[in-house]
Amino acid sequence: MNYPRTRPRRLRTTPAMRRMVAQHRLDAADLILPAFVREGISEPVAISSMPGVSQHTLDSLRKAAAEAVEAGVGGIMLFGVPEDAKKDAVGTPGTDPDGILQRGLRAVREEVGDDLVVMSDVCLDEVTDHGHCGVLDARGRVDNDATLLRYAEMAVVQADAGAHVLGPSGMMDGQIGVIRDALEAAGHQDVGVLAYSVKYASAFYGPFREAVNSSLKGDRRTYQQDPPNAREALRELELDVAEGADMVMVKPGMPYLDVLRSVADASPVPVAAYQISGEYAMVEAAAERGWLDRERAIEETLMSFRRAGADMVLTYWATEFAQRLRAAGG
C-alpha cells in the first residue's frame, strides 16, 4: 500500500494543535505604537493616507497612551509636528524645551509614568523648513558633523522632558556616539538609545510625510541606505553597537525582511522592525476594497517580523492588535 509515511498535516489538524506547536508568538509587550502630536490644533486631525491614524492634540495623545497601557502595549514612539511658521533651517523647535515634541513627552509621562516605555524621535526632518534630517551647508548638502551637534542638543532636551528611550533616525555617521556622550554628560545615564541602524531610502515613507507635515525638498538618498545594498546593514549595526546603542532597528519592515534576518542573527542587542506608513496604508487600502481579510493580513505581517528575528515591532496597529490579543485571551 502506498501512503505518505510522514504527514506534517497531523500538526495542523485543530486550532489547539496549531497553537501548541507554533514556533513564534505575538505578544502585546513586543509592540510599540508610533504617535504624532501636532501643535496648534484643538481636535485630532485625521491623516488621509493612513486611515485610522491621526495627528494628536496633547489631550488625545494622553488618551492614546493610556489606551496603549490598558491594552498591554510595550512602548510608544512620539513624533512632533510643529507649526510651519516655527520651522527654520536648523530645526529650532527640536531643541526648544517648550517644543511640541517635548511637551508631548511630558504629557505622556504625566499620564502613564513608567507603565509604558516612552520613546521619542531624534531627527530634524519634522522641524526644519527644508525637511531634511540634518543641517544644510552652503551648497545645500546635509552637513553630517554640524547635524551631530544639533542631535546632541535634541537628545538632552528630550531626555529632560522624560523620554525613556531616544530614537535617532537621521542616519548621520557617528550619531549614536555623540548622543550617548551628551546623555552621559547631562546625567541621563539611564536613558536608552534605539538606533535606527538600518534605514533605507524607501518609497514607502509617503504617508509619513503627510503625518508630519513634511517640508522636504529633494530626497534623502545621500544619507539613508541604498535599497540594493544589504551588506552595509551589518556594518551600520556594528558601528552603532560600538558607539553605545542599547537596541537597533531595521526600517522599513516587510520590503527588508532579508536584512532584518541578517541583523537579528548578528546583533548582540535587541532588534526592532518598523512597519512603516506605506506598509500600513497598503493593507488598509486593500482591505477597504475587499481585496483581503484585514485582520488576518495585520496578524500575518506582524508575524513576519517576529519570524525574521525582530524582538519588537513598531506598528500603527499596536493598540488595536494588543486589544485583539487580550480579547482572545492571549
Side-chain angles (χ1 to χ4, degrees):
M1 181 178 179
N2 294 324
Y3 59 89
R5 292 188 175 274
T6 302
R7 295 182 183 270
R9 286 182 56 186
R10 295 189 189 107
L11 300 183
R12 306 171 196 155
T13 52
T14 67
M17 178 67 78
R18 294 192 295 273
R19 185 169 59 248
M20 185 179 72
V21 301
Q23 183 180 350
H24 299 282
R25 302 183 193 279
L26 292 167
D27 189 281
D30 303 328
L31 304 178
I32 299 166
L33 176 69
F36 307 98
V37 57
R38 178 176 170 182
E39 190 172 30
I41 58 174
S42 58
E43 298 290 339
V45 176
I47 300 167
S48 64
S49 55
M50 299 176 68
V53 180
S54 298
Q55 295 170 326
H56 286 289
T57 65
L58 289 173
D59 285 342
S60 67
L61 179 65
R62 285 176 178 269
K63 181 179 178 182
E67 289 176 346
V69 170
E70 177 64 24
V73 169
I76 187 169
M77 174 69 79
L78 301 187
F79 298 87
V81 185
E83 294 175 328
D84 284 345
K86 294 185 178 180
K87 297 179 182 181
D88 58 24
V90 295
T92 297
T95 49
D96 179 356
D98 198 40
I100 186 59
L101 178 54
Q102 288 69 254
R103 288 159 60 196
L105 285 166
R106 288 193 292 271
V108 170
R109 284 300 305 275
E110 288 170 3
E111 185 70 28
V112 303
D114 293 332
D115 292 339
L116 195 64
V117 179
V118 180
M119 306 178 172
S120 58
D121 181 56
V122 182
C123 196
L124 291 171
D125 58 327
E126 296 103 349
V127 291
T128 52
D129 54 13
H130 48 72
H132 277 286
C133 296
V135 178
L136 303 184
D137 64 17
R139 296 173 58 184
R141 303 172 302 180
V142 174
D143 186 326
N144 190 95
D145 295 0
T147 300
L148 295 182
L149 300 177
R150 297 293 292 141
Y151 285 2
E153 295 177 64
M154 292 178 73
V156 172
V157 170
Q158 291 178 15
D160 288 343
H164 292 111
V165 174
L166 305 182
S169 61
M171 291 299 291
M172 296 297 121
D173 295 337
Q175 63 184 15
I176 304 305
V178 166
I179 287 172
R180 187 71 265 165
D181 286 348
L183 291 172
E184 297 295 317
H188 288 298
Q189 292 87 353
D190 291 337
V191 174
V193 177
L194 168 57
Y196 284 61
S197 298
V198 185
K199 184 178 180 182
Y200 283 92
S202 173
F204 289 90
Y205 297 135
F208 183 90
R209 307 272 164 83
E210 179 190 354
V212 297
N213 293 0
S214 176
S215 302
L216 180 64
K217 303 175 179 67
D219 60 52
R220 299 179 174 132
R221 296 182 184 181
T222 63
Y223 45 101
Q224 293 178 350
Q225 285 183 229
D226 196 21
N229 297 338
R231 187 180 298 119
E232 68 178 314
L234 298 181
R235 186 183 187 197
E236 293 280 7
L237 165 67
E238 182 180 2
L239 290 168
D240 284 352
V241 170
E243 290 176 22
D246 300 288
M247 298 171 275
V248 297
M249 184 194 296
V250 175
K251 179 182 181 182
M254 288 178 63
Y256 297 94
L257 290 176
D258 59 324
V259 176
L260 175 59
R261 179 74 268 168
S262 296
V263 169
D265 286 345
S267 178
V269 299
V271 176
Y274 197 147
Q275 184 176 47
I276 66 170
S277 59
E279 299 173 59
Y280 174 93
M282 286 194 303
V283 172
E284 290 290 347
E288 190 275 331
R289 288 162 176 77
W291 294 344
L292 50 74
D293 182 317
R294 179 179 179 275
E295 290 196 357
R296 287 186 61 193
I298 291 171
E299 182 171 6
E300 193 171 340
T301 59
L302 293 176
M303 186 60 77
S304 74
F305 303 127
R306 295 286 284 129
R307 195 176 59 249
D311 301 292
M312 302 162 288
V313 181
L314 286 84
T315 175
Y316 299 97
W317 289 304
T319 300
E320 175 190 338
F321 191 76
Q323 290 170 338
R324 193 194 313 174
L325 287 175
R326 175 160 294 188

PDB file of all heavy atoms in Angstrom, residues 2 17 33 60 69 76 78 81 97 107 121 138 173 200 211-212 214 221 265 273 276 283 301 315 318 320 330:
ATOM      1  N   ASN A   2       0.611   2.161  -0.918  1.00  0.00           N
ATOM      2  CA  ASN A   2       1.370   3.403  -0.983  1.00  0.00           C
ATOM      3  C   ASN A   2       0.694   4.470  -0.131  1.00  0.00           C
ATOM      4  O   ASN A   2      -0.498   4.720  -0.262  1.00  0.00           O
ATOM      5  CB  ASN A   2       1.464   3.890  -2.425  1.00  0.00           C
ATOM      6  CG  ASN A   2       2.289   2.942  -3.285  1.00  0.00           C
ATOM      7  OD1 ASN A   2       3.264   2.375  -2.801  1.00  0.00           O
ATOM      8  ND2 ASN A   2       1.899   2.786  -4.535  1.00  0.00           N
ATOM      9  N   MET A  17      -3.999  22.320  18.283  1.00  0.00           N
ATOM     10  CA  MET A  17      -2.749  21.707  17.844  1.00  0.00           C
ATOM     11  C   MET A  17      -1.827  22.752  17.229  1.00  0.00           C
ATOM     12  O   MET A  17      -0.624  22.803  17.529  1.00  0.00           O
ATOM     13  CB  MET A  17      -3.046  20.597  16.833  1.00  0.00           C
ATOM     14  CG  MET A  17      -1.800  19.923  16.268  1.00  0.00           C
ATOM     15  SD  MET A  17      -0.902  18.968  17.512  1.00  0.00           S
ATOM     16  CE  MET A  17      -1.959  17.504  17.578  1.00  0.00           C
ATOM     17  N   LEU A  33       3.843  51.643  19.667  1.00  0.00           N
ATOM     18  CA  LEU A  33       2.898  52.472  18.925  1.00  0.00           C
ATOM     19  C   LEU A  33       3.548  53.788  18.508  1.00  0.00           C
ATOM     20  O   LEU A  33       3.875  54.616  19.360  1.00  0.00           O
ATOM     21  CB  LEU A  33       1.670  52.770  19.789  1.00  0.00           C
ATOM     22  CG  LEU A  33       0.628  53.717  19.178  1.00  0.00           C
ATOM     23  CD1 LEU A  33      -0.073  53.052  17.995  1.00  0.00           C
ATOM     24  CD2 LEU A  33      -0.381  54.162  20.233  1.00  0.00           C
ATOM     25  N   SER A  60      -5.535  64.259  23.365  1.00  0.00           N
ATOM     26  CA  SER A  60      -5.811  62.970  22.714  1.00  0.00           C
ATOM     27  C   SER A  60      -4.584  62.062  22.745  1.00  0.00           C
ATOM     28  O   SER A  60      -4.714  60.830  22.760  1.00  0.00           O
ATOM     29  CB  SER A  60      -6.304  63.179  21.280  1.00  0.00           C
ATOM     30  OG  SER A  60      -5.294  63.705  20.439  1.00  0.00           O
ATOM     31  N   VAL A  69      -1.433  51.476  27.338  1.00  0.00           N
ATOM     32  CA  VAL A  69      -1.103  50.817  28.600  1.00  0.00           C
ATOM     33  C   VAL A  69      -2.162  49.784  28.951  1.00  0.00           C
ATOM     34  O   VAL A  69      -1.862  48.639  29.318  1.00  0.00           O
ATOM     35  CB  VAL A  69      -0.967  51.856  29.737  1.00  0.00           C
ATOM     36  CG1 VAL A  69      -0.869  51.149  31.082  1.00  0.00           C
ATOM     37  CG2 VAL A  69       0.252  52.735  29.515  1.00  0.00           C
ATOM     38  N   ILE A  76       5.678  53.462  23.249  1.00  0.00           N
ATOM     39  CA  ILE A  76       5.124  54.451  22.347  1.00  0.00           C
ATOM     40  C   ILE A  76       6.272  55.306  21.829  1.00  0.00           C
ATOM     41  O   ILE A  76       7.166  55.684  22.599  1.00  0.00           O
ATOM     42  CB  ILE A  76       4.048  55.319  23.058  1.00  0.00           C
ATOM     43  CG1 ILE A  76       3.341  56.245  22.070  1.00  0.00           C
ATOM     44  CG2 ILE A  76       4.641  56.104  24.228  1.00  0.00           C
ATOM     45  CD1 ILE A  76       2.107  56.927  22.663  1.00  0.00           C
ATOM     46  N   LEU A  78       7.118  58.820  19.963  1.00  0.00           N
ATOM     47  CA  LEU A  78       6.492  60.096  19.660  1.00  0.00           C
ATOM     48  C   LEU A  78       7.238  60.868  18.577  1.00  0.00           C
ATOM     49  O   LEU A  78       8.472  60.930  18.564  1.00  0.00           O
ATOM     50  CB  LEU A  78       6.414  60.962  20.913  1.00  0.00           C
ATOM     51  CG  LEU A  78       5.648  60.399  22.109  1.00  0.00           C
ATOM     52  CD1 LEU A  78       5.530  61.465  23.195  1.00  0.00           C
ATOM     53  CD2 LEU A  78       4.275  59.907  21.698  1.00  0.00           C
ATOM     54  N   VAL A  81       5.020  67.524  15.551  1.00  0.00           N
ATOM     55  CA  VAL A  81       4.666  68.248  14.334  1.00  0.00           C
ATOM     56  C   VAL A  81       4.467  69.716  14.710  1.00  0.00           C
ATOM     57  O   VAL A  81       3.384  70.117  15.151  1.00  0.00           O
ATOM     58  CB  VAL A  81       3.387  67.689  13.682  1.00  0.00           C
ATOM     59  CG1 VAL A  81       3.118  68.387  12.347  1.00  0.00           C
ATOM     60  CG2 VAL A  81       3.491  66.178  13.490  1.00  0.00           C
ATOM     61  N   PRO A  97      12.788  73.648  24.803  1.00  0.00           N
ATOM     62  CA  PRO A  97      12.145  72.847  25.844  1.00  0.00           C
ATOM     63  C   PRO A  97      10.624  72.884  25.783  1.00  0.00           C
ATOM     64  O   PRO A  97       9.959  71.956  26.255  1.00  0.00           O
ATOM     65  CB  PRO A  97      12.663  73.482  27.143  1.00  0.00           C
ATOM     66  CG  PRO A  97      13.974  74.095  26.761  1.00  0.00           C
ATOM     67  CD  PRO A  97      13.763  74.594  25.357  1.00  0.00           C
ATOM     68  N   ALA A 107       3.623  65.276  28.674  1.00  0.00           N
ATOM     69  CA  ALA A 107       2.215  64.904  28.844  1.00  0.00           C
ATOM     70  C   ALA A 107       2.061  63.394  28.985  1.00  0.00           C
ATOM     71  O   ALA A 107       1.303  62.910  29.844  1.00  0.00           O
ATOM     72  CB  ALA A 107       1.392  65.414  27.656  1.00  0.00           C
ATOM     73  N   ASP A 121      11.568  60.558  18.790  1.00  0.00           N
ATOM     74  CA  ASP A 121      12.349  60.638  17.556  1.00  0.00           C
ATOM     75  C   ASP A 121      13.375  61.758  17.655  1.00  0.00           C
ATOM     76  O   ASP A 121      13.025  62.907  17.909  1.00  0.00           O
ATOM     77  CB  ASP A 121      11.403  60.896  16.380  1.00  0.00           C
ATOM     78  CG  ASP A 121      12.131  60.975  15.053  1.00  0.00           C
ATOM     79  OD1 ASP A 121      12.834  60.010  14.710  1.00  0.00           O
ATOM     80  OD2 ASP A 121      11.997  62.008  14.365  1.00  0.00           O
ATOM     81  N   ALA A 138      26.518  75.341   2.777  1.00  0.00           N
ATOM     82  CA  ALA A 138      26.328  76.436   1.825  1.00  0.00           C
ATOM     83  C   ALA A 138      25.934  75.942   0.443  1.00  0.00           C
ATOM     84  O   ALA A 138      25.335  76.688  -0.338  1.00  0.00           O
ATOM     85  CB  ALA A 138      27.607  77.272   1.738  1.00  0.00           C
ATOM     86  N   ASP A 173      26.469  59.652  10.232  1.00  0.00           N
ATOM     87  CA  ASP A 173      27.595  58.879  10.734  1.00  0.00           C
ATOM     88  C   ASP A 173      28.012  59.411  12.098  1.00  0.00           C
ATOM     89  O   ASP A 173      28.225  60.615  12.269  1.00  0.00           O
ATOM     90  CB  ASP A 173      28.780  58.973   9.766  1.00  0.00           C
ATOM     91  CG  ASP A 173      28.487  58.323   8.426  1.00  0.00           C
ATOM     92  OD1 ASP A 173      27.608  57.447   8.370  1.00  0.00           O
ATOM     93  OD2 ASP A 173      29.145  58.699   7.430  1.00  0.00           O
ATOM     94  N   TYR A 200      16.498  52.503   5.137  1.00  0.00           N
ATOM     95  CA  TYR A 200      16.666  52.611   3.698  1.00  0.00           C
ATOM     96  C   TYR A 200      15.904  53.801   3.116  1.00  0.00           C
ATOM     97  O   TYR A 200      14.853  54.201   3.634  1.00  0.00           O
ATOM     98  CB  TYR A 200      16.186  51.325   3.023  1.00  0.00           C
ATOM     99  CG  TYR A 200      17.177  50.193   3.149  1.00  0.00           C
ATOM    100  CD1 TYR A 200      17.105  49.293   4.211  1.00  0.00           C
ATOM    101  CD2 TYR A 200      18.190  50.023   2.214  1.00  0.00           C
ATOM    102  CE1 TYR A 200      18.017  48.250   4.338  1.00  0.00           C
ATOM    103  CE2 TYR A 200      19.108  48.990   2.330  1.00  0.00           C
ATOM    104  CZ  TYR A 200      19.015  48.107   3.388  1.00  0.00           C
ATOM    105  OH  TYR A 200      19.933  47.093   3.511  1.00  0.00           O
ATOM    106  N   ALA A 211       1.880  62.754   7.557  1.00  0.00           N
ATOM    107  CA  ALA A 211       1.661  62.685   9.001  1.00  0.00           C
ATOM    108  C   ALA A 211       2.453  63.731   9.764  1.00  0.00           C
ATOM    109  O   ALA A 211       2.007  64.226  10.807  1.00  0.00           O
ATOM    110  CB  ALA A 211       2.012  61.294   9.512  1.00  0.00           C
ATOM    111  N   VAL A 212       3.643  64.094   9.259  1.00  0.00           N
ATOM    112  CA  VAL A 212       4.480  65.074   9.959  1.00  0.00           C
ATOM    113  C   VAL A 212       4.494  66.428   9.244  1.00  0.00           C
ATOM    114  O   VAL A 212       5.304  67.297   9.580  1.00  0.00           O
ATOM    115  CB  VAL A 212       5.925  64.562  10.139  1.00  0.00           C
ATOM    116  CG1 VAL A 212       5.938  63.317  11.009  1.00  0.00           C
ATOM    117  CG2 VAL A 212       6.609  64.305   8.804  1.00  0.00           C
ATOM    118  N   SER A 214       5.544  67.264   6.319  1.00  0.00           N
ATOM    119  CA  SER A 214       6.924  67.406   5.867  1.00  0.00           C
ATOM    120  C   SER A 214       7.106  68.569   4.893  1.00  0.00           C
ATOM    121  O   SER A 214       6.278  68.818   4.014  1.00  0.00           O
ATOM    122  CB  SER A 214       7.386  66.115   5.190  1.00  0.00           C
ATOM    123  OG  SER A 214       8.684  66.255   4.652  1.00  0.00           O
ATOM    124  N   ARG A 221      18.648  60.383  -0.308  1.00  0.00           N
ATOM    125  CA  ARG A 221      19.459  59.252  -0.751  1.00  0.00           C
ATOM    126  C   ARG A 221      20.932  59.387  -0.412  1.00  0.00           C
ATOM    127  O   ARG A 221      21.665  58.391  -0.479  1.00  0.00           O
ATOM    128  CB  ARG A 221      19.279  59.058  -2.259  1.00  0.00           C
ATOM    129  CG  ARG A 221      17.853  58.675  -2.630  1.00  0.00           C
ATOM    130  CD  ARG A 221      17.693  58.436  -4.117  1.00  0.00           C
ATOM    131  NE  ARG A 221      16.303  58.158  -4.444  1.00  0.00           N
ATOM    132  CZ  ARG A 221      15.863  57.898  -5.666  1.00  0.00           C
ATOM    133  NH1 ARG A 221      16.708  57.883  -6.691  1.00  0.00           N
ATOM    134  NH2 ARG A 221      14.580  57.657  -5.879  1.00  0.00           N
ATOM    135  N   ASP A 265      20.416  37.964  13.372  1.00  0.00           N
ATOM    136  CA  ASP A 265      21.391  36.894  13.600  1.00  0.00           C
ATOM    137  C   ASP A 265      22.711  37.435  14.141  1.00  0.00           C
ATOM    138  O   ASP A 265      23.418  36.735  14.875  1.00  0.00           O
ATOM    139  CB  ASP A 265      21.650  36.133  12.291  1.00  0.00           C
ATOM    140  CG  ASP A 265      20.497  35.227  11.901  1.00  0.00           C
ATOM    141  OD1 ASP A 265      19.627  34.947  12.758  1.00  0.00           O
ATOM    142  OD2 ASP A 265      20.452  34.802  10.725  1.00  0.00           O
ATOM    143  N   ALA A 273      11.826  46.171  14.363  1.00  0.00           N
ATOM    144  CA  ALA A 273      11.464  46.430  12.968  1.00  0.00           C
ATOM    145  C   ALA A 273      10.345  47.459  12.980  1.00  0.00           C
ATOM    146  O   ALA A 273       9.472  47.431  13.847  1.00  0.00           O
ATOM    147  CB  ALA A 273      11.000  45.157  12.278  1.00  0.00           C
ATOM    148  N   ILE A 276       6.248  50.500   8.525  1.00  0.00           N
ATOM    149  CA  ILE A 276       6.103  51.931   8.283  1.00  0.00           C
ATOM    150  C   ILE A 276       4.779  52.281   7.604  1.00  0.00           C
ATOM    151  O   ILE A 276       3.980  51.425   7.248  1.00  0.00           O
ATOM    152  CB  ILE A 276       7.298  52.483   7.480  1.00  0.00           C
ATOM    153  CG1 ILE A 276       7.333  51.909   6.063  1.00  0.00           C
ATOM    154  CG2 ILE A 276       8.594  52.211   8.210  1.00  0.00           C
ATOM    155  CD1 ILE A 276       8.341  52.604   5.171  1.00  0.00           C
ATOM    156  N   VAL A 283      -2.165  47.800   3.323  1.00  0.00           N
ATOM    157  CA  VAL A 283      -3.118  46.844   3.880  1.00  0.00           C
ATOM    158  C   VAL A 283      -4.484  47.490   4.064  1.00  0.00           C
ATOM    159  O   VAL A 283      -5.527  46.911   3.712  1.00  0.00           O
ATOM    160  CB  VAL A 283      -2.599  46.273   5.211  1.00  0.00           C
ATOM    161  CG1 VAL A 283      -3.667  45.430   5.902  1.00  0.00           C
ATOM    162  CG2 VAL A 283      -1.344  45.434   4.976  1.00  0.00           C
ATOM    163  N   THR A 301       1.379  40.038   8.742  1.00  0.00           N
ATOM    164  CA  THR A 301       2.522  40.941   8.565  1.00  0.00           C
ATOM    165  C   THR A 301       3.315  41.079   9.858  1.00  0.00           C
ATOM    166  O   THR A 301       4.550  41.063   9.847  1.00  0.00           O
ATOM    167  CB  THR A 301       2.065  42.322   8.074  1.00  0.00           C
ATOM    168  OG1 THR A 301       1.145  42.908   9.010  1.00  0.00           O
ATOM    169  CG2 THR A 301       1.410  42.237   6.709  1.00  0.00           C
ATOM    170  N   THR A 315       4.412  49.523  15.087  1.00  0.00           N
ATOM    171  CA  THR A 315       3.295  49.389  14.162  1.00  0.00           C
ATOM    172  C   THR A 315       2.153  50.288  14.587  1.00  0.00           C
ATOM    173  O   THR A 315       1.865  50.435  15.784  1.00  0.00           O
ATOM    174  CB  THR A 315       2.802  47.928  14.081  1.00  0.00           C
ATOM    175  OG1 THR A 315       1.634  47.867  13.249  1.00  0.00           O
ATOM    176  CG2 THR A 315       2.468  47.364  15.447  1.00  0.00           C
ATOM    177  N   ALA A 318      -0.573  48.801  16.842  1.00  0.00           N
ATOM    178  CA  ALA A 318      -0.134  48.239  18.112  1.00  0.00           C
ATOM    179  C   ALA A 318      -1.271  48.101  19.113  1.00  0.00           C
ATOM    180  O   ALA A 318      -1.506  47.015  19.660  1.00  0.00           O
ATOM    181  CB  ALA A 318       0.998  49.087  18.707  1.00  0.00           C
ATOM    182  N   GLU A 320      -4.604  48.402  18.671  1.00  0.00           N
ATOM    183  CA  GLU A 320      -5.697  47.577  18.149  1.00  0.00           C
ATOM    184  C   GLU A 320      -5.360  46.098  18.235  1.00  0.00           C
ATOM    185  O   GLU A 320      -6.183  45.287  18.684  1.00  0.00           O
ATOM    186  CB  GLU A 320      -5.995  47.947  16.694  1.00  0.00           C
ATOM    187  CG  GLU A 320      -7.031  47.058  16.043  1.00  0.00           C
ATOM    188  CD  GLU A 320      -7.165  47.258  14.536  1.00  0.00           C
ATOM    189  OE1 GLU A 320      -6.773  48.337  14.045  1.00  0.00           O
ATOM    190  OE2 GLU A 320      -7.647  46.334  13.859  1.00  0.00           O
ATOM    191  N   GLY A 330      -4.976  36.102  24.801  1.00  0.00           N
ATOM    192  CA  GLY A 330      -3.565  35.910  24.530  1.00  0.00           C
ATOM    193  C   GLY A 330      -2.682  36.838  25.329  1.00  0.00           C
ATOM    194  O   GLY A 330      -3.127  37.678  26.070  1.00  0.00           O
TER     195      GLY A 330
END
